Amino acid sequence: MGLNNQKILVLIIFGTIYSIFMWTFAPGVKDDHLHISNINDKFYANYLDTFRQQHYNMLSNLINKANKALKNDSVYSVTLKPQLAPSNDPHDYMSLARYFWPDPNKPDGLPYMRKDGYSNPEIETIKDYSLLRKLFDDVENLGFAYYFTRNDSYVEKAVYRIKEWFINPKTRMNPNLNYASFIKGQDLGRRTGIIDMRPIYRMLQSIPLMRSSRKWDHSVEKKFKIWLSKYYFWLEKTSIGIDEKESTNNHGTYYDVQAIYLLSYLGREEEARKYSYEALINRVNEGILPTGQQPHETKRPTSWYYSTFNLQALFLLAERSQYFGFDGWNYVGPEGQSIRKAVDYLLSFALSNGKGWPFKNINGFEMNNFVKLLELAFVIWPDDKYLEALVILRPKAKLEQALEYKDTEWEDNYLCIWSLMTNRQLWTCLK
Ligand SMILES: *[C@@H]1O[C@H](CO)[C@@H](O)[C@H](O)[C@H]1NC(C)=O
Ligand SMILES: *[C@@H]1O[C@H](CO)[C@@H](O)[C@H](O)[C@H]1NC(C)=O
């Protein structure tokens, strides 16, 4: 490859600005209007092309989803579930532990027992989890749709959803996860249920985009912040919260991500800054081996999935640490561990279709999530090898999307890449 890294980045940024410009001012313009001279690198040309396409797709998908969110009149509330948590308080959130099944040796099956890696479909009978995730998605999409269209209806709906979930006396959720990842037959939920709240950052980062709208309700936001402060207190002080923070695998990493975004949103910037780099250092040192293997994930039966899943959280931590002035992307631990090594470790197996992966792995080698990481990796470390790998792996990811992951969102990843390259205002990715 003839292009040096800096030049590649400059070209990416140029390409992005160009495609945004074209979209804004000349929506009908076709590809042949884009002539950037001096590019004879086929991988890079392909990259730019894909990228431009992603911008179009991102906008149309985003507006579609926001319109769906706008039109949806169902109630989103924890109070709808057919079965109460042991507290008997309908406002307590409850979700069922994913990998737990009735004990065949007990007449009533209670308490349920663990079969790691095998999801029990019974978890779908209690909707709190899926509604919570829907709330995060909807508010996020509404916020970003407002950002791109300046249509106030989106903001009005987002405010409505926030009020409904967090504030209205009839429908609100209590600010705790005491019964998340609940095992039937026990008294309390488990620390691992805290991961239910994981994508809250997606909602939190879209809220500031809506504040300029005349439909944004500052008194609602004030009450929402009180809710979040109480929830953060719960997260920080209860034994469920403390145990989750201390877990060494993806649960601990995602706890940190959640905590940093909450602190930041609550205006506790100094705490967020300190938390972000301490967490980054700790998770890289403890969660990655000098080879790049993530040992706490590779011991799970779905070892490939959890390796990419934890890496996503590490990317979020790295991005946050960089935002607060610490270069977590390139931090190297005392034994040579780093996030980049974790990427490269997985990359070699991705390219061999998982051949030689030395761990138990019952769910195959799903590429879609890894490819998203790789697209970001190229932005962070503009190395030709990532670009070449993307040419090979992207079609596999696309095929997976077509076959099984219908909801997978590339437009999302586009926003994520874009925000990494620009001002990070739109950072949103890695669901
Ligand atoms: C509205 O959202 C709820 C909760 O996710 C979902 O069950 C329902 O199908 C949605 N309705 C429409 C019309 O999309
Ligand atoms: C805002 O979006 C809604 C839903 O798509 C649409 O009905 C309405 O006309 C839009 N308003 C403006 C001012 O464009």
Side-chain angles (χ1 to χ4, degrees), residues 123-317:
I123 62 175
E124 303 299 335
T125 59
I126 293 178
K127 301 283 183 204
D128 292 7
Y129 172 84
S130 56
L131 286 174
L132 180 71
R133 295 299 178 93
K134 190 79 178 343
L135 170 82
F136 294 156
D137 281 351
D138 280 10
V139 175
E140 179 195 13
N141 290 325
L142 291 163
F144 283 110
Y146 172 71
Y147 179 82
F148 285 104
T149 65
R150 298 285 140 184
N151 182 329
D152 291 313
S153 325
Y154 297 127
V155 178
E156 210 172 359
K157 188 71 178 200
V159 170
Y160 176 88
R161 285 300 179 205
I162 291 170
K163 260 162 83 175
E164 181 182 53
W165 192 273
F166 299 101
I167 297 165
N168 286 353
K170 249 183 94 173
T171 48
R172 75 185 156 73
M173 168 183 164
N174 290 332
N176 73 67
L177 292 176
N178 286 332
Y179 304 99
S181 202
F182 180 69
I183 297 169
K184 285 199 170 177
Q186 300 198 348
D187 298 331
L188 263 185
R190 300 179 307 151
R191 65 163 180 85
T192 51
I194 288 174
I195 213 163
D196 288 9
M197 207 49 111
R198 174 173 66 85
I200 193 171
Y201 71 90
R202 300 173 69 96
M203 176 173 82
L204 296 183
Q205 67 192 353
S206 89
I207 288 177
L209 304 178
M210 293 186 273
R211 289 196 190 116
S212 61
S213 163
R214 63 193 171 84
K215 290 288 181 186
W216 184 250
D217 187 329
H218 293 274
S219 68
V220 166
E221 185 169 15
K222 211 167 148 190
K223 289 178 189 148
F224 177 50
K225 282 190 172 170
I226 293 171
W227 192 100
L228 287 178
S229 301
K230 288 183 184 159
Y231 171 68
Y232 189 80
F233 186 82
W234 179 90
L235 202 59
E236 206 183 8
K237 303 289 187 202
T238 58
S239 63
I240 298 182
I242 292 165
D243 289 351
E244 181 75 341
K245 178 175 176 163
E246 284 171 2
S247 60
T248 50
N249 69 2
N250 62 82
H251 280 272
T253 324
Y254 275 111
Y255 178 102
D256 291 343
V257 171
Q258 200 183 126
I260 292 163
Y261 274 94
L262 286 166
L263 286 170
S264 226
Y265 180 76
L266 290 169
R268 295 160 65 174
E269 289 287 304
E270 189 46 38
E271 286 168 86
R273 188 186 65 78
K274 185 161 176 292
Y275 197 124
S276 75
Y277 72 75
E278 285 176 358
L280 184 286
I281 291 171
N282 175 42
R283 297 298 168 193
V284 170
N285 290 356
E286 306 299 327
I288 305 175
L289 295 180
T291 55
Q293 182 197 333
Q294 298 171 71
H296 310 300
E297 313 306 326
T298 50
K299 68 182 178 208
R300 301 291 293 273
T302 48
S303 53
W304 174 263
Y305 171 80
Y306 277 112
S307 295
T308 60
F309 186 62
N310 190 55
L311 194 51
Q312 291 177 335
L314 289 168
F315 269 47
L316 288 164
L317 282 187

Side-chain angles (χ1 to χ4, degrees), residues 340-406:
R340 190 171 182 182
K341 275 197 176 160
V343 174
D344 290 350
Y345 184 82
L346 295 181
L347 178 57
S348 61
F349 295 105
L351 290 170
S352 71
N353 286 318
K355 216 170 144 222
W357 178 253
F359 313 102
K360 182 176 179 186
N361 186 45
I362 60 175
N363 266 2
F365 292 84
E366 181 256 9
M367 269 315 124
N368 187 56
N369 284 312
F370 182 68
V371 165
K372 285 184 171 189
L373 289 170
L374 209 53
E375 306 237 23
L376 299 177
F378 174 67
V379 176
I380 305 299
W381 307 287
D383 182 326
D384 285 341
K385 80 173 175 192
Y386 298 130
L387 215 46
E388 290 173 45
L390 279 167
V391 173
I392 299 164
L393 298 175
R394 243 194 224 120
K396 292 187 183 171
K398 282 277 176 198
L399 192 65
E400 281 173 6
Q401 288 171 38
L403 293 177
E404 44 194 316
Y405 304 101
K406 294 186 191 69

